[in-house]
Amino acid sequence: MFPNDRRVFLAISLLVLSTPSVLAEPLSVALDRAANLTKRGEDLGIQQKVDDAIAAFQEASTLYQKLVDQKPADIAYRRNLAVCCEKFGNMLIGNDRIDRAVANYQKSLEIRQILANQDPGNQDRLHDLTMSLACMGRISVLQHQLSAGLQFYQNACSLGDRLIRRNPKNYAWITELAINEDWVGEILLLLNSYDDAADACALIIDTVKTLPDAANSDLSWLAQLSVNLDDAASLIVTKGKPDQALRIFQVARGLRQQMIQRDGANQDIKCDLALGLGNIASLLVSRGEPMEALTVCQEGVESLNALDATADNGSKAQLALGRILETYGSAAEFLHRYDEALEHFDQSASIFEKANAKLSSDTGVKQALCRVLTRFGSLLINRRRYPDALNAYQRARTVLTAAYQANPSDSTWGVELTVDLEAIGYVFSAQKMAGEALNSYKEARGILEKLRRLHPESHELDETFAGTELALGKLLREQGESKDARAAFEQCSQILYRLSETGHLDEQGVTWLHEADMQLRQPF
């Protein structure tokens, strides 16, 4: 949840302070050499020449310490030493030397704490202390010391809030506070304190609102922060905490709305906002709030239409529109507005088909397309529109067949194809087209037999195959093919019984086993 490339840490520029003319030459030379060694240590760290970087930083730290010892009253020397220690720690973290980084961060924190205590009204010293607290928070998290990390970040936020109250126009300090508040929220999530986490994330909105207008300001950090919040909310959805997840999704939405106010021409931000609206709408549907979901979906669709998201270009906006139209269909289906639901499922599928044509190697697009077509076909069956349902499933079959044939050993595509073939078989059966139905089920059986030979250890494939045998057996029985029907039921029963004996049978499998045994007890 905390990858290095998904976090924003503002580097502290090395304070290059002018040396009073009264300094002796050796001190001046030592100061320049220490600064050069610090820069060299950073560069070597980037090049992953860790041992050389450590040597450079150690020499720089020693020089700074000598300067402090010779002039203990000189604040600049002490601040420079703290900066050197912090950069040393940053280099070590960047090269996975976490344990050794702790001592450097702690030394930097101790120096800055003393300096801040000596002059509590000095904003620069308080800001230095805030940065050290955030560094200690970060390394505590990396060491899985979440409670300690939380305390450090909360203290950093408290100081940061004091600073921006004194200097409300400082863009960088407000940025740092928002990032630290995000860390507080995410650590609380890791500690399973979901309500507190949502409260912490909500503070980010108020902080970001205070950002002054800055010419050519880079909002990438805020865009990344919004993504972090989306990821956090998605995670706690899986933890069964939809209320708190919705609150965090709403925070991400609010941040993106503020970004649009600052940079109305940025289409990526608008697209991300629409994606976020899709997340909110999906969660509202799952919470049984379809009317609210429809309102959110409509907002997202209008936003994406303004971006020409229907264009046949495979863009992020196009994919976002496909997803939000799918959610629109789900909400309408929940409300029994079936014609509206079918319309939006159809629109979603058409968009994903266009995207798939452009992004032919994108697995995610193929999966989304087949998912929508399956939902579309299922609802069409529910409305007894069998020819249209068959068309939807056949469209999915074309995509799934190509994906499976490209990699016949991939059980994922193979199983999805068999599910689609069985749906096609069901539609044929509903239309009294027994021959076509049998062929479809037999094709599904053939694919599963191949997959079982390739993956003999897969209990899931065994159960899926048994379910297909059960469906095929019932269809064969209806057609008067008693011998083949009995063989299918017996194979289904034997496979599922063996799975039950080894503890690998789920509830669906138990139901199938009872049904197969019941079919076998009936006269043929």
Side-chain angles (χ1 to χ4, degrees), residues 223-224 226-227 230 252-253 256 259-260 266-279 303-304 307 316-317 320:
Q224 187 59 63
S226 302
V227 172
D230 278 340
R253 174 188 188 178
R256 291 182 174 119
M259 282 189 280
I260 290 172
N266 192 317
Q267 296 199 358
D268 283 338
I269 296 175
K270 292 180 179 178
C271 183
D272 287 341
L273 173 61
L275 283 168
L277 291 171
N279 291 332
S303 175
L304 289 167
L307 298 177
K316 183 167 72 171

Side-chain angles (χ1 to χ4, degrees), residues 457-497:
E457 75 292 342
S458 174
H459 305 301
E460 292 80 6
L461 282 174
D462 288 342
E463 184 172 321
T464 301
F465 178 74
T468 300
E469 287 293 278
L470 176 62
L472 185 56
K474 289 190 288 187
L475 189 57
L476 287 165
R477 186 167 207 158
E478 290 174 3
Q479 300 306 309
E481 300 183 30
S482 301
K483 181 179 178 180
D484 290 341
R486 177 186 288 277
F489 290 136
E490 286 177 345
Q491 182 153 226
C492 171
S493 178
Q494 290 168 4
I495 292 171
L496 295 176
Y497 179 76

